[in-house]
mmCIF file of all heavy atoms in Angstrom:
data_model
loop_
_atom_site.group_PDB
_atom_site.id
_atom_site.type_symbol
_atom_site.label_atom_id
_atom_site.label_comp_id
_atom_site.label_asym_id
_atom_site.label_seq_id
_atom_site.Cartn_x
_atom_site.Cartn_y
_atom_site.Cartn_z
ATOM 1 N N HIS W 5 19.479 -6.165 3.456
ATOM 2 C CA HIS W 5 18.317 -6.133 2.569
ATOM 3 C C HIS W 5 17.006 -6.372 3.317
ATOM 4 O O HIS W 5 15.942 -5.945 2.856
ATOM 5 C CB HIS W 5 18.475 -7.172 1.456
ATOM 6 C CG HIS W 5 18.299 -8.593 1.921
ATOM 7 N ND1 HIS W 5 19.320 -9.318 2.513
ATOM 8 C CD2 HIS W 5 17.223 -9.421 1.896
ATOM 9 C CE1 HIS W 5 18.888 -10.521 2.808
ATOM 10 N NE2 HIS W 5 17.624 -10.623 2.447
ATOM 11 N N ARG W 6 17.061 -7.018 4.475
ATOM 12 C CA ARG W 6 15.819 -7.324 5.187
ATOM 13 C C ARG W 6 15.136 -6.073 5.737
ATOM 14 O O ARG W 6 13.926 -5.908 5.521
ATOM 15 C CB ARG W 6 16.098 -8.339 6.299
ATOM 16 C CG ARG W 6 16.462 -9.720 5.766
ATOM 17 C CD ARG W 6 16.745 -10.702 6.892
ATOM 18 N NE ARG W 6 17.192 -11.991 6.366
ATOM 19 C CZ ARG W 6 17.637 -12.992 7.117
ATOM 20 N NH1 ARG W 6 17.709 -12.844 8.450
ATOM 21 N NH2 ARG W 6 18.026 -14.119 6.563
ATOM 22 N N PRO W 7 15.817 -5.192 6.469
ATOM 23 C CA PRO W 7 15.115 -3.976 6.901
ATOM 24 C C PRO W 7 14.655 -3.106 5.736
ATOM 25 O O PRO W 7 13.619 -2.434 5.828
ATOM 26 C CB PRO W 7 16.148 -3.246 7.771
ATOM 27 C CG PRO W 7 17.459 -3.834 7.412
ATOM 28 C CD PRO W 7 17.182 -5.245 7.028
ATOM 29 N N ILE W 8 15.414 -3.116 4.628
ATOM 30 C CA ILE W 8 14.985 -2.342 3.458
ATOM 31 C C ILE W 8 13.658 -2.882 2.936
ATOM 32 O O ILE W 8 12.724 -2.121 2.637
ATOM 33 C CB ILE W 8 16.072 -2.384 2.366
ATOM 34 C CG1 ILE W 8 17.329 -1.660 2.848
ATOM 35 C CG2 ILE W 8 15.556 -1.765 1.068
ATOM 36 C CD1 ILE W 8 18.497 -1.756 1.878
ATOM 37 N N LEU W 9 13.546 -4.195 2.834
ATOM 38 C CA LEU W 9 12.298 -4.809 2.371
ATOM 39 C C LEU W 9 11.156 -4.547 3.352
ATOM 40 O O LEU W 9 10.014 -4.297 2.937
ATOM 41 C CB LEU W 9 12.497 -6.316 2.190
ATOM 42 C CG LEU W 9 13.371 -6.750 1.010
ATOM 43 C CD1 LEU W 9 13.602 -8.256 1.058
ATOM 44 C CD2 LEU W 9 12.720 -6.356 -0.306
ATOM 45 N N TRP W 10 11.456 -4.611 4.639
ATOM 46 C CA TRP W 10 10.420 -4.396 5.648
ATOM 47 C C TRP W 10 9.860 -2.973 5.576
ATOM 48 O O TRP W 10 8.642 -2.772 5.556
ATOM 49 C CB TRP W 10 11.003 -4.670 7.033
ATOM 50 C CG TRP W 10 10.017 -4.610 8.163
ATOM 51 C CD1 TRP W 10 9.884 -3.605 9.078
ATOM 52 C CD2 TRP W 10 9.040 -5.593 8.510
ATOM 53 N NE1 TRP W 10 8.891 -3.899 9.974
ATOM 54 C CE2 TRP W 10 8.358 -5.119 9.655
ATOM 55 C CE3 TRP W 10 8.676 -6.823 7.983
ATOM 56 C CZ2 TRP W 10 7.332 -5.835 10.264
ATOM 57 C CZ3 TRP W 10 7.659 -7.540 8.589
ATOM 58 C CH2 TRP W 10 6.994 -7.047 9.710
ATOM 59 N N VAL W 11 10.738 -2.002 5.519
ATOM 60 C CA VAL W 11 10.296 -0.604 5.435
ATOM 61 C C VAL W 11 9.559 -0.366 4.129
ATOM 62 O O VAL W 11 8.508 0.297 4.094
ATOM 63 C CB VAL W 11 11.493 0.348 5.578
ATOM 64 C CG1 VAL W 11 11.064 1.795 5.335
ATOM 65 C CG2 VAL W 11 12.124 0.214 6.961
ATOM 66 N N LEU W 12 10.080 -0.891 3.043
ATOM 67 C CA LEU W 12 9.434 -0.709 1.745
ATOM 68 C C LEU W 12 8.054 -1.364 1.726
ATOM 69 O O LEU W 12 7.092 -0.795 1.189
ATOM 70 C CB LEU W 12 10.319 -1.302 0.644
ATOM 71 C CG LEU W 12 9.810 -1.134 -0.788
ATOM 72 C CD1 LEU W 12 9.655 0.342 -1.139
ATOM 73 C CD2 LEU W 12 10.757 -1.831 -1.773
ATOM 74 N N GLY W 13 7.939 -2.545 2.337
ATOM 75 C CA GLY W 13 6.647 -3.225 2.381
ATOM 76 C C GLY W 13 5.592 -2.423 3.115
ATOM 77 O O GLY W 13 4.451 -2.282 2.643
ATOM 78 N N TRP W 14 5.949 -1.875 4.248
ATOM 79 C CA TRP W 14 4.975 -1.078 5.004
ATOM 80 C C TRP W 14 4.711 0.262 4.327
ATOM 81 O O TRP W 14 3.593 0.805 4.427
ATOM 82 C CB TRP W 14 5.450 -0.880 6.437
ATOM 83 C CG TRP W 14 5.256 -2.112 7.261
ATOM 84 C CD1 TRP W 14 6.225 -2.936 7.750
ATOM 85 C CD2 TRP W 14 4.008 -2.680 7.660
ATOM 86 N NE1 TRP W 14 5.661 -3.987 8.438
ATOM 87 C CE2 TRP W 14 4.303 -3.856 8.402
ATOM 88 C CE3 TRP W 14 2.680 -2.325 7.479
ATOM 89 C CZ2 TRP W 14 3.309 -4.656 8.956
ATOM 90 C CZ3 TRP W 14 1.679 -3.128 8.021
ATOM 91 C CH2 TRP W 14 1.989 -4.276 8.746
ATOM 92 N N ALA W 15 5.693 0.821 3.620
ATOM 93 C CA ALA W 15 5.451 2.051 2.868
ATOM 94 C C ALA W 15 4.437 1.801 1.750
ATOM 95 O O ALA W 15 3.529 2.621 1.515
ATOM 96 C CB ALA W 15 6.765 2.581 2.289
ATOM 97 N N VAL W 16 4.573 0.680 1.069
ATOM 98 C CA VAL W 16 3.607 0.325 0.029
ATOM 99 C C VAL W 16 2.233 0.091 0.641
ATOM 100 O O VAL W 16 1.201 0.493 0.074
ATOM 101 C CB VAL W 16 4.092 -0.926 -0.738
ATOM 102 C CG1 VAL W 16 3.013 -1.439 -1.690
ATOM 103 C CG2 VAL W 16 5.366 -0.608 -1.508
ATOM 104 N N PHE W 17 2.189 -0.535 1.810
ATOM 105 C CA PHE W 17 0.920 -0.764 2.487
ATOM 106 C C PHE W 17 0.241 0.562 2.844
ATOM 107 O O PHE W 17 -0.973 0.714 2.660
ATOM 108 C CB PHE W 17 1.154 -1.600 3.750
ATOM 109 C CG PHE W 17 -0.088 -1.851 4.554
ATOM 110 C CD1 PHE W 17 -1.003 -2.808 4.172
ATOM 111 C CD2 PHE W 17 -0.336 -1.112 5.705
ATOM 112 C CE1 PHE W 17 -2.157 -3.031 4.911
ATOM 113 C CE2 PHE W 17 -1.479 -1.327 6.455
ATOM 114 C CZ PHE W 17 -2.387 -2.291 6.052
ATOM 115 N N VAL W 18 1.007 1.510 3.357
ATOM 116 C CA VAL W 18 0.444 2.816 3.697
ATOM 117 C C VAL W 18 -0.085 3.510 2.447
ATOM 118 O O VAL W 18 -1.162 4.125 2.468
ATOM 119 C CB VAL W 18 1.508 3.684 4.405
ATOM 120 C CG1 VAL W 18 1.029 5.128 4.532
ATOM 121 C CG2 VAL W 18 1.810 3.122 5.785
ATOM 122 N N TYR W 19 0.645 3.403 1.343
ATOM 123 C CA TYR W 19 0.148 3.997 0.099
ATOM 124 C C TYR W 19 -1.167 3.351 -0.326
ATOM 125 O O TYR W 19 -2.107 4.046 -0.754
ATOM 126 C CB TYR W 19 1.183 3.842 -1.006
ATOM 127 C CG TYR W 19 0.638 4.209 -2.372
ATOM 128 C CD1 TYR W 19 0.406 5.537 -2.712
ATOM 129 C CD2 TYR W 19 0.341 3.214 -3.308
ATOM 130 C CE1 TYR W 19 -0.112 5.868 -3.960
ATOM 131 C CE2 TYR W 19 -0.177 3.540 -4.548
ATOM 132 C CZ TYR W 19 -0.407 4.864 -4.870
ATOM 133 O OH TYR W 19 -0.933 5.187 -6.089
ATOM 134 N N ALA W 20 -1.252 2.036 -0.210
ATOM 135 C CA ALA W 20 -2.470 1.341 -0.634
ATOM 136 C C ALA W 20 -3.662 1.687 0.238
ATOM 137 O O ALA W 20 -4.805 1.683 -0.238
ATOM 138 C CB ALA W 20 -2.237 -0.169 -0.618
ATOM 139 N N THR W 21 -3.440 2.000 1.509
ATOM 140 C CA THR W 21 -4.552 2.265 2.430
ATOM 141 C C THR W 21 -4.811 3.746 2.663
ATOM 142 O O THR W 21 -5.830 4.098 3.264
ATOM 143 C CB THR W 21 -4.280 1.594 3.787
ATOM 144 O OG1 THR W 21 -2.993 2.012 4.286
ATOM 145 C CG2 THR W 21 -4.294 0.079 3.655
ATOM 146 N N CYS W 22 -3.911 4.604 2.216
ATOM 147 C CA CYS W 22 -4.090 6.050 2.395
ATOM 148 C C CYS W 22 -4.052 6.814 1.083
ATOM 149 O O CYS W 22 -4.521 7.960 1.034
ATOM 150 C CB CYS W 22 -3.013 6.618 3.324
ATOM 151 S SG CYS W 22 -3.015 5.934 4.990
ATOM 152 N N GLY W 23 -3.463 6.243 0.064
ATOM 153 C CA GLY W 23 -3.314 6.934 -1.202
ATOM 154 C C GLY W 23 -4.478 6.710 -2.146
ATOM 155 O O GLY W 23 -5.596 6.372 -1.752
ATOM 156 N N ALA W 24 -4.203 6.872 -3.441
ATOM 157 C CA ALA W 24 -5.243 6.771 -4.465
ATOM 158 C C ALA W 24 -5.975 5.428 -4.459
ATOM 159 O O ALA W 24 -7.195 5.405 -4.660
ATOM 160 C CB ALA W 24 -4.626 7.040 -5.837
ATOM 161 N N PRO W 25 -5.301 4.273 -4.259
ATOM 162 C CA PRO W 25 -6.063 3.019 -4.238
ATOM 163 C C PRO W 25 -7.159 3.002 -3.182
ATOM 164 O O PRO W 25 -8.233 2.431 -3.413
ATOM 165 C CB PRO W 25 -4.982 1.964 -3.941
ATOM 166 C CG PRO W 25 -3.721 2.561 -4.455
ATOM 167 C CD PRO W 25 -3.838 4.028 -4.180
ATOM 168 N N ALA W 26 -6.909 3.615 -2.031
ATOM 169 C CA ALA W 26 -7.929 3.638 -0.981
ATOM 170 C C ALA W 26 -8.998 4.684 -1.262
ATOM 171 O O ALA W 26 -10.194 4.424 -1.105
ATOM 172 C CB ALA W 26 -7.278 3.911 0.373
ATOM 173 N N VAL W 27 -8.590 5.878 -1.694
ATOM 174 C CA VAL W 27 -9.556 6.964 -1.920
ATOM 175 C C VAL W 27 -10.490 6.612 -3.067
ATOM 176 O O VAL W 27 -11.719 6.704 -2.952
ATOM 177 C CB VAL W 27 -8.813 8.282 -2.194
ATOM 178 C CG1 VAL W 27 -9.804 9.384 -2.567
ATOM 179 C CG2 VAL W 27 -7.993 8.689 -0.983
ATOM 180 N N TYR W 28 -9.918 6.210 -4.196
ATOM 181 C CA TYR W 28 -10.759 5.863 -5.336
ATOM 182 C C TYR W 28 -11.338 4.450 -5.210
ATOM 183 O O TYR W 28 -12.358 4.133 -5.828
ATOM 184 C CB TYR W 28 -9.959 5.997 -6.636
ATOM 185 C CG TYR W 28 -9.774 7.433 -7.055
ATOM 186 C CD1 TYR W 28 -8.637 8.145 -6.668
ATOM 187 C CD2 TYR W 28 -10.734 8.091 -7.806
ATOM 188 C CE1 TYR W 28 -8.461 9.471 -7.034
ATOM 189 C CE2 TYR W 28 -10.573 9.419 -8.173
ATOM 190 C CZ TYR W 28 -9.439 10.104 -7.783
ATOM 191 O OH TYR W 28 -9.277 11.420 -8.132
ATOM 192 N N GLY W 29 -10.682 3.615 -4.404
ATOM 193 C CA GLY W 29 -11.221 2.275 -4.187
ATOM 194 C C GLY W 29 -12.529 2.270 -3.430
ATOM 195 O O GLY W 29 -13.253 1.276 -3.441
ATOM 196 N N ALA W 30 -12.844 3.386 -2.768
ATOM 197 C CA ALA W 30 -14.122 3.490 -2.065
ATOM 198 C C ALA W 30 -15.284 3.683 -3.017
ATOM 199 O O ALA W 30 -16.440 3.472 -2.631
ATOM 200 C CB ALA W 30 -14.076 4.647 -1.067
ATOM 201 N N VAL W 31 -15.015 4.088 -4.280
ATOM 202 C CA VAL W 31 -16.099 4.350 -5.237
ATOM 203 C C VAL W 31 -15.902 3.641 -6.569
ATOM 204 O O VAL W 31 -16.842 3.567 -7.366
ATOM 205 C CB VAL W 31 -16.252 5.866 -5.480
ATOM 206 C CG1 VAL W 31 -16.716 6.570 -4.215
ATOM 207 C CG2 VAL W 31 -14.950 6.486 -5.982
ATOM 208 N N LEU W 32 -14.694 3.150 -6.862
ATOM 209 C CA LEU W 32 -14.416 2.475 -8.122
ATOM 210 C C LEU W 32 -13.975 1.043 -7.870
ATOM 211 O O LEU W 32 -13.063 0.791 -7.071
ATOM 212 C CB LEU W 32 -13.304 3.201 -8.890
ATOM 213 C CG LEU W 32 -13.613 4.574 -9.496
ATOM 214 C CD1 LEU W 32 -12.388 5.106 -10.207
ATOM 215 C CD2 LEU W 32 -14.791 4.495 -10.436
ATOM 216 N N PHE W 33 -14.600 0.107 -8.572
ATOM 217 C CA PHE W 33 -14.222 -1.297 -8.427
ATOM 218 C C PHE W 33 -12.781 -1.511 -8.892
ATOM 219 O O PHE W 33 -12.014 -2.258 -8.279
ATOM 220 C CB PHE W 33 -15.186 -2.163 -9.240
ATOM 221 C CG PHE W 33 -15.214 -3.605 -8.825
ATOM 222 C CD1 PHE W 33 -16.300 -4.397 -9.140
ATOM 223 C CD2 PHE W 33 -14.166 -4.188 -8.129
ATOM 224 C CE1 PHE W 33 -16.349 -5.726 -8.765
ATOM 225 C CE2 PHE W 33 -14.193 -5.515 -7.741
ATOM 226 C CZ PHE W 33 -15.288 -6.289 -8.073
ATOM 227 N N SER W 34 -12.393 -0.866 -9.977
ATOM 228 C CA SER W 34 -11.049 -1.065 -10.516
ATOM 229 C C SER W 34 -9.980 -0.598 -9.525
ATOM 230 O O SER W 34 -8.979 -1.291 -9.296
ATOM 231 C CB SER W 34 -10.905 -0.316 -11.837
ATOM 232 O OG SER W 34 -11.224 1.059 -11.676
ATOM 233 N N ALA W 35 -10.174 0.573 -8.916
ATOM 234 C CA ALA W 35 -9.212 1.056 -7.929
ATOM 235 C C ALA W 35 -9.221 0.187 -6.679
ATOM 236 O O ALA W 35 -8.169 -0.037 -6.053
ATOM 237 C CB ALA W 35 -9.519 2.510 -7.565
ATOM 238 N N HIS W 36 -10.406 -0.300 -6.308
ATOM 239 C CA HIS W 36 -10.493 -1.211 -5.168
ATOM 240 C C HIS W 36 -9.670 -2.468 -5.433
ATOM 241 O O HIS W 36 -8.987 -2.969 -4.538
ATOM 242 C CB HIS W 36 -11.951 -1.579 -4.910
ATOM 243 C CG HIS W 36 -12.127 -2.657 -3.896
ATOM 244 N ND1 HIS W 36 -12.274 -2.399 -2.546
ATOM 245 C CD2 HIS W 36 -12.152 -4.000 -4.008
ATOM 246 C CE1 HIS W 36 -12.393 -3.538 -1.896
ATOM 247 N NE2 HIS W 36 -12.326 -4.528 -2.760
#
């Protein structure tokens, strides 16, 4: 379960910094 959590954690991090939260977070407080 540990490598699964590690990979999943970094996948979520990449989504937060490259996906919609990052793109819209640059112009919307709510997305930020």
Side-chain angles (χ1 to χ4, degrees):
H5 73 277
R6 291 179 184 173
I8 294 175
L9 289 174
W10 185 255
V11 174
L12 183 60
W14 284 110
V16 172
F17 178 78
V18 169
Y19 170 73
T21 54
C22 299
V27 174
Y28 284 93
V31 294
L32 290 180
F33 200 159
S34 55
H36 172 90

